[in-house]
Amino acid sequence: WEKQSHNEKSTAFHSIYFISEQTGWVVGDKGTILTTKNGGNLWESQSSGVSEFLHSIHFINEQVGWAAGDNRVILTTQNGGKDWNTSKRRKRGVSLDSIYLINQQTGWAVGQNGVMIKAVNPDFAPYVDRFGAEKNSNGVTLAMSIVDEAPDEVAVKVEYCLQSSCADPKEI
């Protein structure tokens, strides 16, 4: 492991994604997004336009990517992060913890309280489906993984756990 330098010394980072050996992004607290074009030797800040903590980032190619975070914020870019657009369906208090793109126009995000969002167009008009996951005062954590992908079909595996029992996730 080699320590990487950047200018965001007081920021906690939550997710990192590399689309190639050289090009990647990291997201974190207070809307922080950093990018590298040289394998992590130099990290540059990108303006997200939001102050929410960002928990996940995913790109389908070097231009098209999405990020997700607190208050159900979802950001999209069509130009490698030079410009980030914010979804209009934000909801206070609901954190999105994972986001995954299937193609340039379709993505999934999951988070607290059984929230799963599917976006099916670049204008970002997601719909929300709530699973019958158990809920308690500690909240619910969801983990999503794509287990099989074909051109017109995707199999999604979703697991959840209560914060007090995350060592033993349950499959939905």
Side-chain angles (χ1 to χ4, degrees):
W1 295 97
E2 294 178 29
K3 186 175 179 181
Q4 303 293 298
S5 64
H6 54 82
N7 292 329
E8 302 293 330
K9 302 297 183 202
S10 63
T11 298
F13 297 117
H14 302 286
S15 181
I16 190 167
Y17 187 82
F18 274 77
I19 193 72
S20 69
E21 191 173 315
Q22 298 297 311
T23 304
W25 295 263
V26 65
V27 294
D29 292 357
K30 301 175 188 166
T32 299
I33 302 176
L34 302 180
T35 187
T36 183
K37 302 284 187 211
N38 57 14
N41 291 321
L42 176 66
W43 290 91
E44 296 179 0
S45 181
Q46 293 183 330
S47 177
S48 69
V50 300
S51 60
E52 284 88 355
F53 286 22
L54 299 174
H55 299 289
S56 184
I57 190 162
H58 190 257
F59 275 72
I60 198 78
N61 58 43
E62 290 194 13
Q63 299 301 311
V64 179
W66 297 1
D70 288 353
N71 296 326
R72 208 170 75 186
V73 66
I74 299 178
L75 306 174
T76 63
T77 183
Q78 301 288 321
N79 59 13
K82 290 182 181 118
D83 301 296
W84 287 93
N85 302 305
T86 308
S87 71
K88 293 175 176 50
R89 295 184 182 214
R90 295 161 74 173
K91 185 173 182 181
R92 202 154 197 51
V94 176
S95 175
L96 294 175
D97 300 318
S98 182
I99 196 159
Y100 187 88
L101 293 171
I102 295 166
N103 57 45
Q104 290 189 31
Q105 297 186 359
T106 307
W108 293 83
V110 295
Q112 294 176 341
N113 301 323
V115 171
M116 176 180 262
I117 298 174
K118 178 183 181 186
V120 292
N121 65 53
D123 294 330
F124 227 71
Y127 70 84
V128 176
D129 188 13
R130 290 190 177 275
F131 282 84
E134 296 177 50
K135 297 176 187 165
N136 71 5
S137 61
N138 292 327
V140 175
T141 300
L142 288 175
M144 178 185 68
S145 59
I146 304 299
V147 292
D148 190 19
E149 189 173 343
D152 297 324
E153 191 174 315
V154 174
V156 178
K157 178 181 177 184
V158 178
E159 295 179 326
Y160 74 95
C161 64
L162 302 174
Q163 288 179 359
S164 61
S165 67
C166 283
D168 183 28
K170 298 162 183 55
E171 188 171 336
I172 293 178

